[in-house]
Amino acid sequence: GDSVTQMEGPVTLSEEAFLTINCTYTATGYPSLFWYVQYPGEGLQLLLKATKADDKGSNKGFEATYRKETTSFHLEKGSVQVSDSAVYFCALNSGGYQKVTFGTGTKLQVIP
Amino acid sequence: DAGVIQSPRHEVTEMGQEVTLRCKPISGHNSLFWYRQTMMRGLELLIYFNNNVPIDDSGMPEDRFSAKMPNASFSTLKIQPSEPRDSAVYFCASSPPTDRVNEQYFGPGTRLTVT
């Protein structure tokens, strides 16, 4: 079945540091890939997505590239801010009905 | 636009009591999902509906859990009887009808505490 593996957290960075959160997946067919973000006390919200190989999703300075050859979708940001502190979930959809398989989430803490 | 609405936002109940969580999806969306989030198990999909029909309930943990979607604008998740291990944040999410992959829109969640 489908699965998503993402790096264990928490990740603690200083403000303006470079961020990478690794994500790899296993899926049948050609899944679409997502990063969702959850701020404290809130539900998840879509951060970015990519629907086919070599696509790059980007939003709010974050970006991730769909790498079919390595089955990866790593999240990056060049300069993090304190307001980026949240839990980040990698996810995929390989079938109908919009069902999404989520990773376990990676908590990011950015300190001033 | 109103997002996904969940009620109550917080629920504290005693073991053995019945608990009903409510969700109003975004108007026009035809897929609805119920999730449970805990520190130990992370985010778990419990059940999802398409056009008000349950498609997959394999994530429902026990017979104590049941979910209904009587119409396109309302769904409930019921736990009867509740147990302390049911304590978690329960999220409802919805998606619009589309032949392309689309995102899920999450509600703010219901924090359930069973004592």
Side-chain angles (χ1 to χ4, degrees):
Chain A
D2 296 346
S3 67
V4 175
T5 302
Q6 55 183 111
M7 60 190 290
E8 292 279 334
V11 174
T12 302
L13 295 174
S14 297
E15 205 165 21
E16 299 184 2
F18 183 85
L19 168 71
T20 299
I21 300 178
N22 290 336
C23 171
T24 57
Y25 67 90
T26 302
T28 54
Y30 303 95
S32 292
L33 303 175
F34 307 85
W35 278 99
Y36 281 78
V37 59
Q38 183 180 29
Y39 298 103
E42 299 183 10
L44 281 71
Q45 56 185 274
L46 183 69
L47 179 61
L48 54 85
K49 67 181 179 184
T51 57
K52 62 182 187 297
D54 299 325
D55 268 3
K56 177 185 286 187
S58 62
N59 186 26
K60 299 181 181 179
F62 291 89
E63 58 182 35
T65 301
Y66 189 143
R67 300 289 188 197
K68 190 171 186 298
E69 64 277 11
T70 55
T71 62
S72 65
F73 193 54
H74 305 321
L75 181 69
E76 296 181 336
K77 187 175 185 182
S79 176
V80 294
Q81 305 300 312
V82 172
S83 57
D84 294 327
S85 298
V87 180
Y88 293 81
F89 292 85
C90 186
L92 68 84
N93 179 321
S94 65
Y97 300 118
Q98 312 298 338
K99 179 184 176 183
V100 174
T101 300
F102 287 93
T104 54
T106 301
K107 183 175 183 178
L108 169 66
Q109 182 178 14
V110 181
I111 55 178
Chain B
D1 287 343
V4 175
I5 299 173
Q6 292 188 246
S7 64
R9 293 294 311 275
H10 301 273
E11 176 81 35
V12 180
T13 191
E14 292 184 348
M15 182 174 64
Q17 297 298 306
E18 176 180 298
V19 175
T20 299
L21 311 181
R22 298 173 176 80
C23 175
K24 178 178 170 55
I26 294 173
S27 177
H29 285 195
N30 72 335
S31 292
L32 184 139
F33 306 81
W34 281 102
Y35 292 90
R36 177 172 68 176
Q37 187 177 41
T38 62
M39 291 292 292
M40 291 296 295
R41 295 186 298 270
L43 190 67
E44 303 172 277
L45 175 65
L46 301 177
I47 184 171
Y48 70 99
F49 297 83
N50 182 259
N51 292 327
N52 312 336
V53 176
I55 301 301
D56 185 353
D57 65 354
S58 60
M60 296 286 263
E62 301 171 32
D63 291 344
R64 298 184 296 106
F65 286 70
S66 62
K68 294 182 179 179
M69 191 165 187
N71 56 62
S73 59
F74 184 65
S75 178
T76 60
L77 178 67
K78 184 178 294 187
I79 309 172
Q80 166 63 18
S82 58
E83 297 183 3
R85 58 195 169 116
D86 301 331
S87 297
V89 180
Y90 291 82
F91 289 102
C92 175
S94 67
S95 284
T98 177
D99 58 353
R100 298 176 295 110
V101 172
N102 214 323
E103 65 184 281
Q104 293 187 9
Y105 295 76
F106 280 73
T110 295
R111 181 173 294 277
L112 173 65
T113 303
V114 183
T115 61

